[in-house]
Amino acid sequence: MLWLIRIAILALVIYFIAKIIKYLRNPKRKLQHAHNGKRYFFYDDSENIRKNFLITYKGVLLEGEKYLGPKETSSNVLSIFVWPHDLQLLNALNDQDLLFLENEIKLKYPNAVIDWKNPIKEIIRKHKENC
């Protein structure tokens, strides 16, 4: 009887340790932590190519929607649309930040054409007109 209790307690301790490790390694928790700390984090489910990715940088949360090529090249992402979740926070980003984000997306998806949705598209267009 005493051995059963010890085994049950040991199993319970192992279960809680596994839960804590799973919680600490959760990428969505890391994304939220980076967003709150205004740091860079790129969250992309590499196992599901059709799922949107999230980027946080300087407290701005951006979402990217991936579009795949034809069926014979369905694993290649050909175009990406990126937009902010909160328009009010876009003032925190400048042109160099947008170029940094574009380069980070290009590292992950080198064949993709990145299309920024408004108002980011307008910021980039104004920058190109000024240069």
Side-chain angles (χ1 to χ4, degrees), residues 42-93:
F42 191 99
Y43 171 67
D44 189 18
D45 188 0
S46 59
E47 294 177 8
N48 188 356
I49 194 86
R50 290 178 172 78
K51 193 171 183 180
N52 292 355
F53 63 81
L54 296 168
I55 300 175
T56 183
Y57 187 62
K58 292 187 176 181
V60 179
L61 184 63
L62 303 164
E63 185 169 355
E65 187 172 6
K66 302 177 273 191
Y67 290 96
L68 303 175
K71 292 208 183 243
E72 57 271 0
T73 61
S74 63
S75 64
N76 290 338
V77 176
L78 295 182
S79 67
I80 297 174
F81 287 95
V82 182
W83 66 92
H85 273 239
D86 189 359
L87 298 175
Q88 306 299 330
L89 298 175
L90 270 180
N91 296 332
L93 298 180

Side-chain angles (χ1 to χ4, degrees), residues 86-116:
D86 189 359
L87 298 175
Q88 306 299 330
L89 298 175
L90 270 180
N91 296 332
L93 298 180
N94 59 30
D95 299 330
Q96 283 74 29
D97 296 334
L98 294 174
L99 288 174
F100 168 76
L101 292 172
E102 189 168 340
N103 288 334
E104 291 296 316
I105 295 169
K106 282 286 193 183
L107 286 175
K108 187 86 170 167
Y109 301 104
N111 299 328
V113 174
I114 300 171
D115 186 23
W116 299 90

